[in-house]
Amino acid sequence: MPEKTPLYECHVAAGARIVDFGGWDMPLHYGSQIEEHHAVRTAAGIFDVSHMTVVDVAGTDAKAYLRRLLANDVGKLGVPGKGLYSCMLDASGGVVDDLIVYRRDAGEFRVVVNAATRAADLAWMNDVAADFDVTVAERAELMMLAIQGPQATERAAPLLPAAIRGRALDLDAFASVADGDWFVARTGYTGEDGWEIIVAAESGCALWAAASAAGIRPCGLGARDTLRLEAGLALYGQDMDRDVSPLVSALGWTVAWEPADRAFIGRDALERERARGPEEKLVGLVLEDRGIMRHGQRVTTESGDGQVTSGGFSPTMQRSIALARVPADATGTCRVQIRNDKRSAKIVRPPFVRNGDVLVEI
Amino acid sequence: MSEVPAALKYSQEHEWVRLEDDGSVVVGITDHAQEALGELVYVEQPENGILLARGDACVVIESVKAASDVYAPISGELTEANGALADAPELVNQSPYEDGWLVRIYPSSPAELDELMDADAYVQFVAESAA
């Protein structure tokens, strides 16, 4: 039986089509995935992302542990509340998962990892923790909501507890603030402004209901996927996994090479790959012909073949866009094998859309 | 329950078939099918004049989720595709039995029509598939 979030009954009552996602019964859409997508680009939407796994790391060695575990460096988190995006690598530089880690008060950290990788991640984090004085504690009792869109914070602010409201509105990107049960971060997976909120189930259900009543549109995982694709944000398991490194996944910028003596897991393998020069890269594609690009389709470039890692229809651009892994020196146009035809696509640098604006030429 | 017009014939692949006065048939997908597929974003238009055997893939429809083949529910010559779908694939969702029709086929074996389900049988077929 798939797991259910505390909002499951609310989703069903709101007319959601429920699908199994990573072992969870989640809303795919509430009637129109495309309208939900546009709501987030033009106004505000709310997503139940309680399937995501929240892990708190505490103990004397918490910082040292995360500097070993993660390819990005939590040493950059100068003040409590700050967060950063990172990959967690294996020894060969393959991506175990991608995540966001926040520094909290008193030397503690909060890590948010993917749902589908929960068991593997917890096993990996616990294995690495054996060499450190840390506790790694999953917070399965908490739920998580994302409120996203140009009007998200303005519309949702009145729904937050007064004690946290002002500080939440003042947050910079990737910063967070906590108060009691509430944890609010200026992060998201849509390419729009907004918050991700981690909170106890009772408060979270009340917030979801209040947000819906305030005209913040409930959005399902379908819209979440097209929004993140337009924003050029990689999806674990599709755009990268343990078979590839961050360097061929457009995530080289998340690897903290300095200080050079920080021995994070996977560093040696990445150093060798960097010295050789990565053979591939992750790029954006905009289909010039008609049709829809999909995960797994073959891409032909003048420099050799590649593959679509994420593809679909962009509601904002009204055409098909994709992320694809291609030879490192591929540029210009390419051909995508869509069923029996080869269709022309332009190689671009993601993101396709940010803050409501199309950023690539079409 | 989705809409199932009584005047149409239905295939097990969730296509509907309407016999016209000139002997041709108009083919589309059922309300049940469009709802299961999700919002359509592209319809691959077939070429006029191709000859189809019953069961041949004749149209590709792409939803927000995935690409799906539509199979000829009857053998014959494809004489017309719904050109309106090139710019408005959502017509299939909004009006699956009228504006969202897919193709017109001139049957080569009209007797095949009798092997399709009527509305009552299709309603039962959908109910049993869901069970």
Side-chain angles (χ1 to χ4, degrees):
Chain A
M1 277 292 283
E3 296 193 66
K4 292 176 168 55
T5 81
L7 281 167
Y8 176 80
E9 297 299 336
C10 296
H11 298 318
V12 172
R17 172 176 286 263
I18 301 288
V19 293
D20 183 341
F21 181 88
W24 291 78
D25 271 338
M26 298 299 291
L28 180 64
H29 60 73
Y30 302 82
S32 172
Q33 172 176 330
I34 292 174
E35 286 172 23
E36 291 163 22
H37 179 109
H38 291 313
V40 172
R41 285 277 177 255
T42 59
I46 184 166
F47 302 80
D48 179 7
V49 286
S50 302
H51 59 310
M52 303 283 290
T53 305
V54 178
V55 183
D56 282 346
V57 176
T60 319
D61 289 344
K63 183 174 172 184
Y65 162 70
L66 290 168
R67 295 188 79 210
R68 166 88 181 136
L69 183 74
L70 304 179
N72 209 339
D73 186 0
V74 298
K76 292 191 222 168
L77 301 176
V79 293
K82 288 283 185 192
L84 56 76
Y85 173 88
S86 182
C87 289
M88 180 160 75
L89 306 178
D90 63 19
S92 61
V95 183
V96 175
D97 203 1
D98 66 334
L99 54 84
I100 293 179
V101 56
Y102 302 95
R103 180 176 163 191
R104 308 199 69 193
D105 292 328
E108 297 185 9
F109 293 84
R110 170 161 286 178
V111 182
V112 181
V113 300
N114 284 301
T117 47
R118 173 187 167 277
D121 288 351
L122 290 172
W124 182 262
M125 292 174 79
N126 279 310
D127 276 358
V128 177
D131 297 333
F132 294 88
D133 179 15
V134 288
T135 56
V136 174
E138 184 186 9
R139 299 294 304 275
E141 78 283 10
L142 298 177
M143 57 181 288
M144 184 162 161
L145 297 169
I147 301 180
Q148 303 276 298
Q151 299 170 11
T153 58
E154 151 201 340
R155 288 214 205 172
L159 313 177
L160 297 183
I164 206 171
R165 189 178 302 147
R167 285 180 292 157
L169 282 167
D170 287 342
L171 288 173
D172 293 329
F174 275 89
S176 68
V177 58
D179 190 277
D181 268 352
W182 290 75
F183 178 95
V184 179
R186 199 152 210 150
T187 49
Y189 196 47
T190 61
E192 299 296 329
D193 187 20
W195 287 321
E196 290 179 309
I197 299 170
I198 298 169
V199 66
E202 196 176 327
S203 304
C205 289
L207 176 60
W208 194 86
S212 308
I216 300 174
R217 187 169 181 142
C219 297
L221 295 183
R224 185 169 156 86
D225 190 50
T226 49
L227 288 159
R228 72 91 196 169
L229 179 58
E230 286 185 350
L233 299 170
L235 172 62
Y236 188 82
Q238 224 167 273
D239 301 306
M240 75 289 199
D241 55 27
R242 274 179 97 146
D243 294 332
V244 294
S245 84
L247 304 187
V248 296
S249 307
L251 295 172
W253 63 274
T254 71
V255 178
W257 301 102
E258 301 294 334
D261 61 352
R262 185 177 67 94
F264 63 85
I265 298 169
R267 176 166 198 136
D268 293 346
L270 285 197
E271 297 266 18
R272 286 194 298 273
E273 184 178 11
R274 184 164 70 149
R276 279 198 309 272
E279 291 172 7
E280 297 180 299
K281 62 180 176 181
L282 195 74
V283 296
L285 301 182
V286 177
L287 193 64
E288 296 176 313
D289 294 335
R290 287 178 170 270
I292 308 290
M293 298 180 284
R294 303 283 185 185
H295 172 78
Q297 289 170 345
R298 177 187 290 267
V299 177
T300 311
T301 78
E302 286 181 6
S303 311
D305 286 357
Q307 201 174 50
V308 172
T309 54
S310 287
F313 177 74
S314 159
T316 305
M317 295 167 62
Q318 291 289 305
R319 62 176 61 224
S320 182
I321 59 172
L323 297 175
R325 186 166 285 107
V326 297
D329 52 358
T331 54
T333 57
C334 63
R335 311 278 281 173
V336 180
Q337 183 78 39
I338 300 180
R339 287 180 303 278
N340 302 321
D341 285 324
K342 281 192 160 66
R343 306 282 173 90
S344 177
K346 189 163 158 184
I347 298 175
V348 300
R349 186 188 171 90
F352 303 92
V353 180
R354 271 289 159 92
N355 297 319
D357 296 325
V358 175
L359 300 185
V360 296
E361 272 186 40
I362 52 174
Chain B
M1 182 62 204
S2 55
E3 195 191 342
V4 183
L8 306 178
K9 296 278 205 173
Y10 297 89
S11 77
Q12 295 197 351
E13 306 289 346
H14 303 283
E15 291 115 8
W16 56 262
V17 174
R18 186 177 72 222
L19 180 62
E20 305 280 275
D21 292 341
D22 65 357
S24 68
V25 299
V26 173
V27 175
I29 64 168
T30 65
D31 191 25
H32 172 79
Q34 69 79 18
E35 194 177 330
L37 288 169
E39 292 163 289
L40 294 201
V41 292
Y42 179 63
V43 176
E44 182 96 32
Q45 298 286 336
E47 286 174 33
N48 290 344
I50 59 171
L51 294 177
L52 297 165
R54 180 168 58 176
D56 283 354
C58 61
V59 183
V60 181
I61 53 183
E62 302 240 15
S63 76
V64 286
K65 283 189 281 188
S68 309
D69 283 310
V70 176
Y71 302 98
I74 194 163
S75 306
E77 180 183 353
L78 192 154
T79 57
E80 189 183 0
N82 184 356
L85 302 181
D87 291 322
E90 64 273 15
L91 288 174
V92 178
N93 297 110
Q94 293 163 359
S95 176
Y97 297 111
E98 299 291 339
D99 299 340
W101 65 277
L102 295 175
V103 294
R104 182 185 297 274
I105 295 172
Y106 200 85
S108 53
S109 310
E112 286 176 355
L113 274 172
D114 300 331
E115 295 167 34
L116 295 167
M117 290 178 273
D118 64 17
D120 287 346
Y122 179 66
V123 168
Q124 194 179 348
F125 173 74
V126 170
E128 284 169 3
S129 309

Short mmCIF file of all heavy atoms in Angstrom, two decimals, chain A residues 17 28 32-35 290-292 294 313 338-339 341 343, chain B residues 35-36 39 41-42 44 60 62-67 86-87:
data_model
loop_
_atom_site.label_atom_id
_atom_site.label_comp_id
_atom_site.label_asym_id
_atom_site.label_seq_id
_atom_site.Cartn_x
_atom_site.Cartn_y
_atom_site.Cartn_z
N ARG A 17 -6.72 13.76 -9.20
CA ARG A 17 -6.39 12.45 -9.73
C ARG A 17 -5.14 11.98 -8.99
O ARG A 17 -4.10 12.65 -9.03
CB ARG A 17 -6.14 12.51 -11.23
CG ARG A 17 -5.61 11.19 -11.80
CD ARG A 17 -5.47 11.26 -13.30
NE ARG A 17 -6.78 11.19 -13.93
CZ ARG A 17 -7.30 10.05 -14.41
NH1 ARG A 17 -6.64 8.92 -14.32
NH2 ARG A 17 -8.49 10.06 -14.98
N LEU A 28 -1.82 14.10 -8.94
CA LEU A 28 -1.18 14.43 -10.23
C LEU A 28 -1.69 15.78 -10.71
O LEU A 28 -0.92 16.61 -11.18
CB LEU A 28 -1.51 13.34 -11.26
CG LEU A 28 -0.91 13.52 -12.65
CD1 LEU A 28 0.62 13.46 -12.59
CD2 LEU A 28 -1.44 12.47 -13.61
N SER A 32 -6.92 20.26 -14.20
CA SER A 32 -6.14 20.74 -15.33
C SER A 32 -4.71 21.06 -14.92
O SER A 32 -4.43 22.07 -14.29
CB SER A 32 -6.76 21.99 -15.95
OG SER A 32 -5.87 22.53 -16.93
N GLN A 33 -3.81 20.17 -15.32
CA GLN A 33 -2.38 20.37 -15.05
C GLN A 33 -1.87 21.66 -15.69
O GLN A 33 -1.03 22.36 -15.13
CB GLN A 33 -1.64 19.15 -15.61
CG GLN A 33 -0.15 19.28 -15.59
CD GLN A 33 0.51 18.00 -16.08
OE1 GLN A 33 -0.02 16.89 -15.92
NE2 GLN A 33 1.68 18.13 -16.65
N ILE A 34 -2.38 21.96 -16.88
CA ILE A 34 -1.89 23.14 -17.62
C ILE A 34 -2.34 24.43 -16.93
O ILE A 34 -1.57 25.38 -16.77
CB ILE A 34 -2.33 23.07 -19.09
CG1 ILE A 34 -1.59 21.91 -19.79
CG2 ILE A 34 -2.07 24.39 -19.80
CD1 ILE A 34 -2.03 21.64 -21.20
N GLU A 35 -3.59 24.47 -16.47
CA GLU A 35 -4.05 25.67 -15.76
C GLU A 35 -3.30 25.84 -14.43
O GLU A 35 -3.02 26.96 -14.01
CB GLU A 35 -5.57 25.59 -15.52
CG GLU A 35 -6.36 25.85 -16.78
CD GLU A 35 -7.85 25.59 -16.60
OE1 GLU A 35 -8.32 25.64 -15.44
OE2 GLU A 35 -8.52 25.34 -17.60
N ARG A 290 7.21 20.16 -35.07
CA ARG A 290 6.11 19.75 -34.22
C ARG A 290 6.41 18.43 -33.53
O ARG A 290 7.25 17.66 -33.99
CB ARG A 290 4.84 19.61 -35.07
CG ARG A 290 4.27 20.94 -35.49
CD ARG A 290 3.04 20.73 -36.35
NE ARG A 290 2.36 21.99 -36.57
CZ ARG A 290 1.39 22.46 -35.78
NH1 ARG A 290 1.03 21.78 -34.71
NH2 ARG A 290 0.80 23.60 -36.04
N GLY A 291 5.71 18.15 -32.45
CA GLY A 291 5.91 16.90 -31.73
C GLY A 291 6.27 17.18 -30.29
O GLY A 291 6.36 18.34 -29.87
N ILE A 292 6.47 16.09 -29.53
CA ILE A 292 6.81 16.21 -28.12
C ILE A 292 8.02 15.33 -27.83
O ILE A 292 7.99 14.13 -28.10
CB ILE A 292 5.64 15.77 -27.21
CG1 ILE A 292 4.33 16.48 -27.58
CG2 ILE A 292 5.99 15.99 -25.74
CD1 ILE A 292 4.28 17.95 -27.25
N ARG A 294 10.47 13.24 -25.40
CA ARG A 294 10.23 12.45 -24.18
C ARG A 294 11.53 11.84 -23.69
O ARG A 294 12.44 11.58 -24.48
CB ARG A 294 9.23 11.32 -24.46
CG ARG A 294 7.89 11.76 -25.03
CD ARG A 294 6.98 12.35 -23.97
NE ARG A 294 5.66 12.64 -24.51
CZ ARG A 294 4.70 13.24 -23.82
NH1 ARG A 294 4.91 13.63 -22.57
NH2 ARG A 294 3.53 13.48 -24.37
N PHE A 313 5.99 19.01 -22.88
CA PHE A 313 5.38 20.19 -23.48
C PHE A 313 5.50 21.33 -22.49
O PHE A 313 5.19 21.18 -21.31
CB PHE A 313 3.91 19.88 -23.77
CG PHE A 313 3.15 21.05 -24.33
CD1 PHE A 313 3.33 21.46 -25.64
CD2 PHE A 313 2.23 21.74 -23.55
CE1 PHE A 313 2.61 22.52 -26.17
CE2 PHE A 313 1.51 22.82 -24.06
CZ PHE A 313 1.71 23.21 -25.37
N ILE A 338 11.96 10.97 -32.63
CA ILE A 338 10.62 10.86 -32.04
C ILE A 338 9.86 9.80 -32.83
O ILE A 338 9.49 10.04 -33.98
CB ILE A 338 9.89 12.22 -32.08
CG1 ILE A 338 10.69 13.27 -31.30
CG2 ILE A 338 8.48 12.09 -31.51
CD1 ILE A 338 10.06 14.65 -31.26
N ARG A 339 9.71 8.64 -32.22
CA ARG A 339 9.15 7.49 -32.92
C ARG A 339 9.88 7.24 -34.25
O ARG A 339 11.07 6.97 -34.22
CB ARG A 339 7.64 7.64 -33.10
CG ARG A 339 6.88 7.44 -31.78
CD ARG A 339 5.39 7.60 -31.96
NE ARG A 339 5.04 8.88 -32.52
CZ ARG A 339 4.94 9.99 -31.81
NH1 ARG A 339 5.15 9.98 -30.52
NH2 ARG A 339 4.64 11.14 -32.38
N ASP A 341 10.48 9.36 -36.75
CA ASP A 341 10.99 10.56 -37.40
C ASP A 341 12.14 11.18 -36.63
O ASP A 341 12.18 11.10 -35.40
CB ASP A 341 9.89 11.63 -37.50
CG ASP A 341 8.88 11.31 -38.57
OD1 ASP A 341 9.29 10.78 -39.61
OD2 ASP A 341 7.69 11.58 -38.35
N ARG A 343 13.43 14.80 -35.67
CA ARG A 343 12.93 16.17 -35.68
C ARG A 343 14.04 17.11 -35.23
O ARG A 343 14.87 16.76 -34.40
CB ARG A 343 11.74 16.30 -34.71
CG ARG A 343 10.61 15.30 -34.96
CD ARG A 343 9.75 15.71 -36.13
NE ARG A 343 8.79 14.68 -36.47
CZ ARG A 343 7.55 14.59 -35.96
NH1 ARG A 343 7.15 15.47 -35.06
NH2 ARG A 343 6.74 13.63 -36.34
N GLU B 35 -10.11 11.34 -20.62
CA GLU B 35 -9.90 11.66 -19.21
C GLU B 35 -8.72 10.88 -18.64
O GLU B 35 -7.94 11.40 -17.85
CB GLU B 35 -11.18 11.36 -18.42
CG GLU B 35 -11.11 12.00 -17.05
CD GLU B 35 -12.37 11.83 -16.24
OE1 GLU B 35 -13.46 11.73 -16.84
OE2 GLU B 35 -12.25 11.78 -15.01
N ALA B 36 -8.60 9.62 -19.07
CA ALA B 36 -7.48 8.81 -18.59
C ALA B 36 -6.15 9.33 -19.12
O ALA B 36 -5.13 9.29 -18.42
CB ALA B 36 -7.68 7.35 -19.01
N GLU B 39 -4.63 16.02 -20.33
CA GLU B 39 -4.75 17.07 -21.34
C GLU B 39 -3.85 16.81 -22.55
O GLU B 39 -2.65 16.60 -22.40
CB GLU B 39 -4.38 18.41 -20.71
CG GLU B 39 -5.39 18.84 -19.67
CD GLU B 39 -4.86 19.92 -18.74
OE1 GLU B 39 -3.98 19.59 -17.92
OE2 GLU B 39 -5.30 21.06 -18.86
N VAL B 41 -1.65 17.73 -25.77
CA VAL B 41 -0.84 18.88 -26.18
C VAL B 41 -0.37 18.76 -27.62
O VAL B 41 0.19 19.71 -28.18
CB VAL B 41 0.37 19.07 -25.24
CG1 VAL B 41 -0.10 19.51 -23.87
CG2 VAL B 41 1.20 17.79 -25.12
N TYR B 42 -0.60 17.61 -28.25
CA TYR B 42 -0.17 17.44 -29.64
C TYR B 42 -0.88 16.24 -30.26
O TYR B 42 -1.02 15.20 -29.62
CB TYR B 42 1.34 17.24 -29.71
CG TYR B 42 1.87 17.03 -31.10
CD1 TYR B 42 1.75 18.02 -32.08
CD2 TYR B 42 2.49 15.83 -31.45
CE1 TYR B 42 2.23 17.82 -33.36
CE2 TYR B 42 2.98 15.62 -32.73
CZ TYR B 42 2.85 16.63 -33.68
OH TYR B 42 3.33 16.42 -34.94
N GLU B 44 -0.51 14.01 -33.77
CA GLU B 44 0.28 13.76 -34.98
C GLU B 44 -0.68 13.43 -36.10
O GLU B 44 -1.35 12.40 -36.08
CB GLU B 44 1.23 12.59 -34.73
CG GLU B 44 2.13 12.27 -35.88
CD GLU B 44 3.49 12.93 -35.72
OE1 GLU B 44 3.96 13.09 -34.59
OE2 GLU B 44 4.07 13.27 -36.76
N VAL B 60 -1.16 9.47 -33.60
CA VAL B 60 -0.45 9.51 -32.32
C VAL B 60 -0.94 10.73 -31.56
O VAL B 60 -0.92 11.84 -32.10
CB VAL B 60 1.08 9.60 -32.50
CG1 VAL B 60 1.77 9.60 -31.14
CG2 VAL B 60 1.58 8.45 -33.36
N GLU B 62 -0.49 12.98 -28.06
CA GLU B 62 0.44 13.19 -26.95
C GLU B 62 -0.26 14.03 -25.89
O GLU B 62 -0.74 15.12 -26.17
CB GLU B 62 1.68 13.94 -27.44
CG GLU B 62 2.41 13.21 -28.56
CD GLU B 62 3.84 12.86 -28.19
OE1 GLU B 62 4.19 12.92 -26.99
OE2 GLU B 62 4.60 12.52 -29.11
N SER B 63 -0.29 13.51 -24.69
CA SER B 63 -0.86 14.25 -23.58
C SER B 63 0.28 14.85 -22.77
O SER B 63 1.46 14.65 -23.09
CB SER B 63 -1.69 13.34 -22.68
OG SER B 63 -0.84 12.54 -21.90
N VAL B 64 -0.05 15.60 -21.71
CA VAL B 64 0.98 16.10 -20.82
C VAL B 64 1.82 14.96 -20.26
O VAL B 64 2.96 15.15 -19.90
CB VAL B 64 0.37 16.94 -19.67
CG1 VAL B 64 -0.09 18.30 -20.17
CG2 VAL B 64 -0.77 16.20 -19.00
N LYS B 65 1.24 13.75 -20.22
CA LYS B 65 1.94 12.62 -19.62
C LYS B 65 2.77 11.81 -20.61
O LYS B 65 3.90 11.47 -20.33
CB LYS B 65 0.93 11.67 -18.96
CG LYS B 65 0.40 12.12 -17.64
CD LYS B 65 -0.42 11.03 -16.97
CE LYS B 65 -1.82 10.92 -17.54
NZ LYS B 65 -2.69 10.00 -16.81
N ALA B 66 2.17 11.44 -21.75
CA ALA B 66 2.82 10.45 -22.61
C ALA B 66 2.20 10.45 -24.00
O ALA B 66 1.16 11.05 -24.23
CB ALA B 66 2.64 9.05 -21.98
N ALA B 67 2.89 9.75 -24.91
CA ALA B 67 2.37 9.55 -26.26
C ALA B 67 1.56 8.26 -26.30
O ALA B 67 1.93 7.27 -25.68
CB ALA B 67 3.52 9.47 -27.25
N ALA B 86 -4.43 20.42 -35.13
CA ALA B 86 -3.03 20.84 -35.23
C ALA B 86 -2.75 22.00 -34.28
O ALA B 86 -1.73 22.04 -33.60
CB ALA B 86 -2.69 21.22 -36.66
N ASP B 87 -3.67 22.94 -34.22
CA ASP B 87 -3.48 24.11 -33.35
C ASP B 87 -4.29 24.04 -32.07
O ASP B 87 -4.09 24.86 -31.17
CB ASP B 87 -3.84 25.39 -34.11
CG ASP B 87 -2.84 25.68 -35.21
OD1 ASP B 87 -1.64 25.44 -34.99
OD2 ASP B 87 -3.27 26.11 -36.29
#
